[in-house]
Amino acid sequence: MKRRMLIALSALMVLAMLVTSCAQVPAAAPAQQEVVEVMVEVTRIVEVPAEGGEAPPAAVAQKMLNIVQDRGKLVCGGRTDLVGFGYLDSEGNNIGFDTDLCRAVATAIFGDPTAAEIVPLTAAERGPALQTGEIDLLSRNVTWTSSRDAQWGNFTTVMFYDGQGMMVRGDSGATTLEDLDGATVCVTTGTTTEKNLADAFRERGLEFTAVTFEDTSAVYGAYEDGRCDAATSDKSQLAAVRSGFANPDDHMIMDITMSKEPLTPAVPTGDSQWFDIVKSVMWVLINAEELGVTSANVDEMMNSENIPVRRMLGVEGSFGQEDLGLSTDFAVNVIKAVGNYGEIYDRYMGPDGAAFTLPRGQNELWSKGGLIYAPPLR
Amino acid sequence: MEVLQWIAQIVSAIVVIGFLIFFIRNVIDAADARGLDLGFGWMDEASGFPLSESVIDYDPSKSFGYALWVGFLNTLKVSLVGIVLATVVGLIAALSRLSSNWLVSKIATVYIDTIRNIPLLVQLFIWYFAVFQAFPSVQDALRLPGPLFLSQRGMYMTWVKPTASFVTWALIFVAGVILSIIVYRVLLHYQLRTGRSTYPFVIGTLIFVVFPLVGWFLVGSPPLQGTVPELGKFNFSGGLRLTPEFAALLVGLVIYTGAFIAEVIRAGILAVEKGQVEAARSLGLSQSQVLRLVIMPLAMRVIIPPLISQYLNLTKNSSLAIVIGYADVFFVGRTIINQAGRAVPVFLLIMACYLGLSLITSFIMNIYNRRVQLVER
C-alpha cells in the first residue's frame, strides 16, 4: 500500500516537472487547482465577484461600468503606507494623493466619494491584481513602462511626474553615485527603481549590495536603522518618507535623478469605455484647475459665462458624458468631492500640505511651465 | 467485496480526474480571458534585479530562470542548516524537559510553551528588527576574537577561499576520508571477530588527519588562502559574511521548529515502556548508556514520522523570509511575478520547488524510518 502511494506520488511529481518544464502547456493538475487559491490570497482580495470567478469570458463581455454599478462600489488598488500618497489619517481613513483619484472616480459613477473601497497592495502584488481584474482601478504610484503597459493593463494619464532619487545619511558625505561605490542600498522589490538601481550601478562599474523587502515600511525601517547606507525610490516617495523619520534633517536626498518615473493609474485591459471613464475623470481634475474651478467655487462657476467651464460642468453642451455612461453633471460632483488637481496636490504636498511640502516642479500645469496637460473637454 | 472495492476506486478516480480537468480548464479559460500568458519563454530573459545574497554567482544580467535557481539554493541552504540545528535544539530541549533537575526542566518547559504559541511571523519580525538590527552599526562593529566582527550588517569572519590547486587537494582529501572509513570498518570487524584491540578509531582518525596534511604540501601552492574582513568606506570586504536576513530567518526557524521537535522527541521517549528501561538498568548500564542504547532506538520508531513533518514545516515556513528580505525561492518568485508579469507560471514553478523539496525530504527520512523500524524485534 505504502509502495503504491510512493509510486503514485513520484509519478505525480514527474508529471508536474514534465509539464512545468515544457513551455506553453498549462501545468500539472493538482497544482492548477491550488493556483487559483493562492492568487486570491496573495492579492488580498476578500471579495471575489461571482462574475469573475465562475464565468470569466462573460465577465469581460460585460461592461466594467455595469459590474461596478451592480456591485455598488469601486474596488481600487491603493496603499496605506506612504505619507502623502496613500496613508491612514488619525481616524483610520485612507487618504492621500493617489487615494483621492479613487474617490474622484467613485464620485463620477455613484456621486459618492465613499463608494470607493481601497484595497492595500504591496508593490509586488499590484501587477497581478490588475492583470487578473481583481481591482477596477490601480492608483498606487505605478510607474508607466512599456512592458507593464503590455502585461498589466491600460495606463491612463500621468498623474505625477517623478524621477528616481537616492537618500543617504547627511554625514556620509556622498553627493554622486560614484561616492556610493561599495554601499548597501535598500529598495522595494518588484519596482522599476529596483531595476534602475542595478542598471545605474552596473553601467558605472560600481559595486553595491541591494537589500530588498516587499514591504515599503520595512525598506525604510531597515534604512533608518542603519542596515543600508542609502535608500532609493522615486524622489516624491523619499521626500514623503523622510518627513516621517525621527530626525529628517539627518538624511539627505541626493541631487541626482536616475530615471524618469511617470506615475500613472491603470485599469484592466479589455474595456475601452472603462478606460475612457477613468481618463475623463482625470482630465476633469486637470481642466478644472486650468479653468479655475475649485471645490469652493464650483457652484457659482455653474453660472459662469465661460463656455468651456459651462461645458465641463454639464450646464451647456456635452463632452461625451452620455457616451461614457455617466451623468451630465458628474464633473460638478467630482470637483465638489475632491477638488481640482491643484487642490488635491496642495491638500497633501502643498505649502500647507497635510503630509509634507514638495514644490510642484514638473507637476505644475503646462500653462505654468510644468508637464501636467490634459486634452480639452469637448 | 473485491469487486465493490474496485468499483469504488474507479468511481472516485473518475470524480477526482473530472474535478482536476474542470479546474485546469477553468484556469486556462480565465487566463485566456484576461490575456495572461501561461508560457515559460520569459525564463531566458535577463532578470535585471539585484539579489541580496546567493550561494552561486549572480548579477542582474542573469536570466529569470537563473534567479529562481538562486532563490531555490538559498531556500535549500537555510532549510538544510535549519533542519540540523533544529534537531539539535529540539533534542536538548526534550532531554532538559524530561530532566530530573527542576530548574532545567522548567526552563525547557517555558521555552517550549512560549515559542510554540507565538506565530513564527511575529518571531521573525522580532529576531530581525529587534535583535539583529539592534547590533552596532558597521562603522563601530563589535570586534570579537578571531577576527570576527558583529554588526547590523551581519557577522564577518576570517575565512578561507580556494585557490587554483584546491581541486587536486580536495580529491586527496576525499580519498583520505574514504580510506579512513574503510580502514575503520575493517579494523573494527577484525577486533570484533578476534577480540584483539586494533584501535580502529585511533587509526581511522589518523588517516583522516594525515591525508589532507600531506596533500597540502604535495600540491605545491596552498590550496586554501585566508581572507580577513577589512572595513572599507561602507562595508567590510573579504572574509565570510553571514547576513542578518539569513541569520534572523535561521534563528527564527530553528527556535520555532526546535520547540515542536522537542515535543515530538519527548513524546517518543515517554512512549518507551518502563520495563525496557528497568531491564536496561538491571543489566548495569549507566544512565547515558540506557539513553543511547535503549531509549533512543526505541523512541526513534515513534519519533521519526512526526519529525518528518516538522522538517517539512521548517522548509515550507522558510517562505516567510519574504518579510525580512531573505532571497529564498518564494521571495525571488514574487519579484519575478512582478518584474516579468507572469504570475501563474511562476507559482507553478514555486510549487514544484516546494513539492520537490518535500518529496525528497520525506523520501530520505522514510528510508531512515524503515531502517529504524527493522531494529524492532
Side-chain angles (χ1 to χ4, degrees), chain A residues 83-122:
Chain A
V83 169
F85 289 88
Y87 64 113
L88 300 177
D89 66 9
S90 55
E91 283 154 18
N93 300 312
N94 196 333
I95 59 171
F97 182 79
D98 288 335
T99 311
D100 275 358
L101 180 70
C102 299
R103 305 222 184 286
V105 174
T107 311
I109 298 166
F110 300 105
D112 176 12
T114 62
E117 183 195 20
I118 316 293
V119 180
L121 298 171
T122 68

Side-chain angles (χ1 to χ4, degrees), chain A residues 13 27 32 38 123-125 131-132 151 179 182 184 189-191 194-195 202 210 212-214 225-227 229, chain B residues 27 34 47 52 61 128 133 152-153 233-235 244-245 322 324-325 331 334 338-341 347-348 359:
Chain A
M13 187 180 144
Q32 284 287 5
V38 170
E125 287 166 351
Q131 275 181 326
T132 52
Q151 289 163 1
D179 294 338
T184 306
T189 52
T191 56
E194 181 184 32
K195 290 188 143 185
R202 235 155 36 107
T212 53
F213 299 90
E214 201 176 81
D225 283 348
R227 174 71 184 88
D229 301 303
Chain B
V27 170
R34 291 169 171 83
S47 70
S52 54
S61 65
Y128 185 64
Q133 287 301 317
Q152 61 179 185
R153 298 278 167 87
K233 188 174 159 204
F234 289 109
N235 294 315
E245 289 80 25
I322 198 153
I324 54 171
F331 182 95
R334 288 295 297 266
N338 205 259
Q339 299 290 19
F347 262 109
L348 288 176
L359 289 179

Side-chain angles (χ1 to χ4, degrees), chain A residues 2 6 9 13 16-17 19-20 22-36 38-39 42 52-54 56-57 60 122-128 131-133 148 151-152 169 172 174 179-184 189-192 194-195 197-199 202 208-214 218 221-222 225-229 269, chain B residues 20 23-24 26-30 33-41 43 45-53 59-61 64 125 128-129 133 137-139 152-154 233-235 241 243-245 322-326 330-331 334-335 337-345 347-349 351-353 355-356 359-360 363 366 369-370:
Chain A
K2 259 194 179 160
L6 199 74
L9 269 177
M13 187 180 144
M17 295 295 177
V19 177
T20 43
C22 62
Q24 307 304 333
V25 183
Q32 284 287 5
Q33 173 194 347
E34 281 170 54
V35 170
V36 179
V38 170
M39 299 259 297
V42 160
E54 278 160 14
V60 172
T122 68
E125 287 166 351
R126 59 194 173 171
Q131 275 181 326
T132 52
R148 283 179 178 176
Q151 289 163 1
W152 287 13
R169 262 169 282 279
S172 72
D179 294 338
L180 289 178
D181 193 11
T184 306
T189 52
T191 56
T192 49
E194 181 184 32
K195 290 188 143 185
L197 169 73
D199 290 351
R202 235 155 36 107
F208 78 106
T209 312
V211 176
T212 53
F213 299 90
E214 201 176 81
D225 283 348
R227 174 71 184 88
C228 301
D229 301 303
T269 41
Chain B
L20 292 179
F23 282 126
I24 295 171
N26 196 32
V27 170
I28 296 173
D29 288 347
R34 291 169 171 83
L36 293 181
D37 182 2
L38 295 181
F40 286 84
M43 284 184 73
E45 293 166 24
S47 70
F49 58 82
L51 287 176
S52 54
E53 74 184 86
D59 68 72
S61 65
F64 281 120
F125 272 121
Y128 185 64
F129 288 105
Q133 287 301 317
S137 77
V138 70
Q139 301 301 336
Q152 61 179 185
R153 298 278 167 87
K233 188 174 159 204
F234 289 109
N235 294 315
R241 172 159 180 248
T243 65
E245 289 80 25
I322 198 153
V323 298
I324 54 171
Y326 177 71
F330 187 62
F331 182 95
R334 288 295 297 266
T335 308
I337 285 173
N338 205 259
Q339 299 290 19
R342 302 281 194 276
V344 178
F347 262 109
L348 288 176
L349 288 174
M351 286 191 299
C353 285
L355 181 68
L359 289 179
I360 291 167
F363 182 69
N366 273 319
N369 192 27
R370 221 160 296 149

Side-chain angles (χ1 to χ4, degrees), chain B residues 80-98 104 107-109 111-112 115-116 123 127 250-266 269 296 307 311 314:
Chain B
L80 280 178
V81 181
I83 283 174
V84 172
L85 293 181
T87 311
V88 174
V89 168
L91 185 64
I92 294 172
L95 296 180
S96 307
R97 190 164 184 186
L98 291 170
V104 169
I107 290 174
T109 308
Y111 155 66
I112 291 168
I115 292 297
R116 288 205 312 163
Q123 295 190 31
W127 283 112
L250 182 67
V251 171
L253 287 173
V254 165
I255 299 286
Y256 182 77
T257 317
F260 285 88
I261 291 179
E263 288 296 84
V264 167
I265 295 177
R266 186 174 70 108
I269 291 174
M296 284 320 280
L307 191 63
Y311 287 175
L314 188 142

